[in-house]
Amino acid sequence: MAAPNDIAAKLLDAQVDYLLAEVTGERFTEVVDRDIADVLAVADTIVFRDVVDLERARATVRTVVARAGASPAAADLVGAFADALYDTIAGTADYALGEVVDREPVDAVLAKVLAMHQTQERTMARLTESPLVATVAAKFVDQLIDDVLESNRQMTAKIPGVGSLVSFGTSAAKSARKVAERATEGTIISDMAGKGAMFALKRTNGAIREMLRTAPVHSAAMEFWDLHAGEPVSGLHEYLSRADLRELVELIHHIAVTTSDKEYFGVLLDECVRVFFTRYGDHTLGALLPELGVTPEDIRTEVLRYGPAVIESAKRDGLLANLIRQRLEPFYSSEPVLAILGELAT
C-alpha cells in the first residue's frame, strides 16, 4: 500500500492537470460561461452598500484619480499621444469633420453657451475689476478708432478739401493720445487715462453683451461650422502646428495633475461618490452592472478576448502549472489530508 505522502503527491498532480485542462481550448469557453453565470447569480444577492463602505469608496476614488493622471506612464504618453493624433489628423482625408462630429450637439452646446446670460454678465463684471484688462480694452478701442479714421481718410481723400480735414483731425487725435501716454503716474492726465481705460472696458463689455443678445452670433457660428463640416479632418492641422498641439496637451495635463492634488478637488470627488451611493447604494451588484452599461455578454467577450492568449503563454513557460501547484500543495501536504489518506491506506 502506498504511503500517504505518495498518494497526496499523485492527487496533487491530478488536480493540477485537471485545472490546466479547465483553461485550455474549448473547455475554457465553457468554464468562462459557467463561472460568469455563477458570479452574477451571487452578485444578484449582494446589495452594493452592504459590501462597499462610503468612506472607503471615497478613499479609493481619490487614490485612483490622483495616481492615474500623475503616473509616469501618463506623463510619458501624453506628448506621444498628441503627436500621434496630430499625425493621424494630418494624414486623414477620408473622413469629413461633419461625419466625425454630429451637427446637432454642436448646435445645442453653442445655443446653451449663448443663452447663459448670467455667466456672461458676471464674467464681464469681473473683467472691469482688472486695471490691466481695462488697459487692453482701451487699446482695443483706440485701435478700432484708428482703423475707422484711416478708412474714412482713404475714402474721403478723393474729395477735395475733405481729405485734408479728416487728416488734420486724425493727426490731432494721435497727438493728444501721445501726450497722455507720456504723462507720468499721479498726474491729472494719467488719472484721466486710467478712468478712460475703465470707461472703455465698460463700453466694450456693453457692446459685447448687446452683440451676444441681438446679433446673429449663433447662426454665424453654425455657418462657420457648416463651412468646415464638409472638409476633410486633415484640414484641422492648419489651425495649429504639431509642436503647438503637444505643448497644449502637456499644459492641460499639468493643470489636471496639479488640480487633483488640491484639497478642494478631493471634496468634489467625495460629493460625487456620495451622490453615487444615494442613487445606487441599494442596488445589488448584479443590477448595478446594466446601469453602468456592462452586460454579462460584455464580460464574457472581454475575458475570451484576452484570457486564452495570456493563459497559453503562461502554460508554455510552465509558470501557470507552478502557480497552481504552489497554491494547492500546502493543502495536500497538510496534516488533516495526510491523516485521511493514511486512514484510507490502512
Side-chain angles (χ1 to χ4, degrees), residues 144-218:
L144 184 61
I145 293 174
D146 285 345
D147 291 343
V148 172
L149 290 175
E150 178 62 22
S151 177
N152 290 339
R153 188 193 64 79
Q154 292 178 4
M155 287 188 299
T156 59
K158 300 178 181 180
I159 304 176
V162 177
S164 299
L165 182 61
V166 172
S167 178
F168 173 77
T170 302
S171 299
K174 291 182 178 179
S175 297
R177 182 179 298 134
K178 289 179 180 179
V179 172
E181 291 173 349
R182 288 197 300 267
T184 57
E185 293 185 3
T187 64
I188 296 177
I189 294 179
S190 178
D191 184 59
M192 291 177 61
K195 292 180 179 179
M198 295 300 293
F199 176 77
L201 178 58
K202 291 180 180 179
R203 295 294 295 173
T204 304
N205 287 350
I208 293 174
R209 290 195 298 269
E210 184 66 19
M211 179 192 69
L212 292 176
R213 287 190 176 93
T214 61
V217 178
H218 185 187

Side-chain angles (χ1 to χ4, degrees), residues 43-77:
D44 279 332
T45 66
I46 301 174
V47 177
F48 180 71
R49 68 171 66 253
D50 290 342
V51 294
V52 181
D53 178 75
L54 176 60
E55 293 305 319
R56 292 179 181 177
R58 284 174 169 172
T60 299
V61 171
R62 284 195 179 203
T63 300
V64 171
V65 172
R67 293 184 179 178
S71 65
D76 177 60
L77 289 174

Side-chain angles (χ1 to χ4, degrees), residues 20-341:
L20 287 175
E22 287 275 273
V23 294
T24 300
E26 295 181 0
R27 178 60 181 156
F28 180 66
T29 302
E30 298 174 7
V31 171
V32 169
D33 290 336
R34 178 200 66 196
D35 291 348
I36 290 178
D38 291 343
V39 169
L40 292 179
V42 174
D44 279 332
T45 66
I46 301 174
V47 177
F48 180 71
R49 68 171 66 253
D50 290 342
V51 294
V52 181
D53 178 75
L54 176 60
E55 293 305 319
R56 292 179 181 177
R58 284 174 169 172
T60 299
V61 171
R62 284 195 179 203
T63 300
V64 171
V65 172
R67 293 184 179 178
S71 65
D76 177 60
L77 289 174
V78 64
F81 284 154
D83 291 343
L85 288 174
Y86 188 87
D87 293 341
T88 301
I89 290 174
T92 301
D94 297 333
Y95 300 94
L97 182 60
E99 296 175 343
V100 178
V101 181
D102 292 336
R103 189 180 193 277
E104 289 75 11
V106 175
D107 193 359
V109 169
L110 183 59
K112 179 59 180 178
V113 171
L114 292 176
M116 296 169 63
H117 299 304
Q118 181 179 347
T119 302
Q120 297 164 12
E121 294 281 350
R122 184 56 179 164
T123 301
M124 296 297 183
R126 292 308 299 266
L127 283 175
T128 60
E129 299 174 9
S130 171
L132 185 58
V133 175
T135 302
V136 173
K139 181 66 176 178
F140 169 76
V141 174
D142 288 346
Q143 187 62 49
L144 184 61
I145 293 174
D146 285 345
D147 291 343
V148 172
L149 290 175
E150 178 62 22
S151 177
N152 290 339
R153 188 193 64 79
Q154 292 178 4
M155 287 188 299
T156 59
K158 300 178 181 180
I159 304 176
V162 177
S164 299
L165 182 61
V166 172
S167 178
F168 173 77
T170 302
S171 299
K174 291 182 178 179
S175 297
R177 182 179 298 134
K178 289 179 180 179
V179 172
E181 291 173 349
R182 288 197 300 267
T184 57
E185 293 185 3
T187 64
I188 296 177
I189 294 179
S190 178
D191 184 59
M192 291 177 61
K195 292 180 179 179
M198 295 300 293
F199 176 77
L201 178 58
K202 291 180 180 179
R203 295 294 295 173
T204 304
N205 287 350
I208 293 174
R209 290 195 298 269
E210 184 66 19
M211 179 192 69
L212 292 176
R213 287 190 176 93
T214 61
V217 178
H218 185 187
S219 299
M222 291 310 301
E223 185 175 277
F224 176 81
W225 167 263
D226 292 335
L227 289 174
H228 289 76
E231 297 180 356
V233 175
S234 57
L236 295 176
H237 81 280
E238 298 177 0
Y239 285 89
L240 76 169
S241 67
R242 180 179 181 183
D244 288 335
L245 177 60
R246 169 183 269 266
E247 185 175 359
L248 181 61
V249 171
E250 289 177 344
L251 288 173
I252 293 174
H253 174 256
H254 180 68
I255 291 174
V257 171
T258 54
T259 301
S260 65
D261 293 337
K262 302 298 186 294
E263 181 179 353
Y264 184 66
F265 185 77
V267 173
L268 297 179
L269 286 179
D270 289 347
E271 182 62 15
C272 292
V273 174
R274 185 196 65 78
V275 171
F276 184 87
F277 264 75
T278 301
R279 287 180 176 269
Y280 299 108
D282 295 327
H283 284 56
T284 65
L285 296 180
L288 188 59
L289 289 178
E291 297 292 341
L292 300 176
V294 179
T295 66
E297 185 60 27
D298 294 331
I299 300 174
R300 176 183 183 277
T301 298
E302 297 306 319
V303 172
L304 294 179
R305 191 193 307 275
Y306 301 105
V310 174
I311 291 173
E312 287 301 321
S313 178
K315 283 178 60 180
R316 284 196 300 269
D317 298 332
L319 176 62
L320 183 58
N322 289 333
L323 288 174
I324 295 174
R325 186 176 297 277
Q326 290 173 13
R327 299 299 185 274
L328 297 178
E329 190 170 13
F331 170 76
Y332 283 100
S333 61
S334 64
E335 291 184 3
V337 171
L338 292 177
I340 294 173
L341 295 177

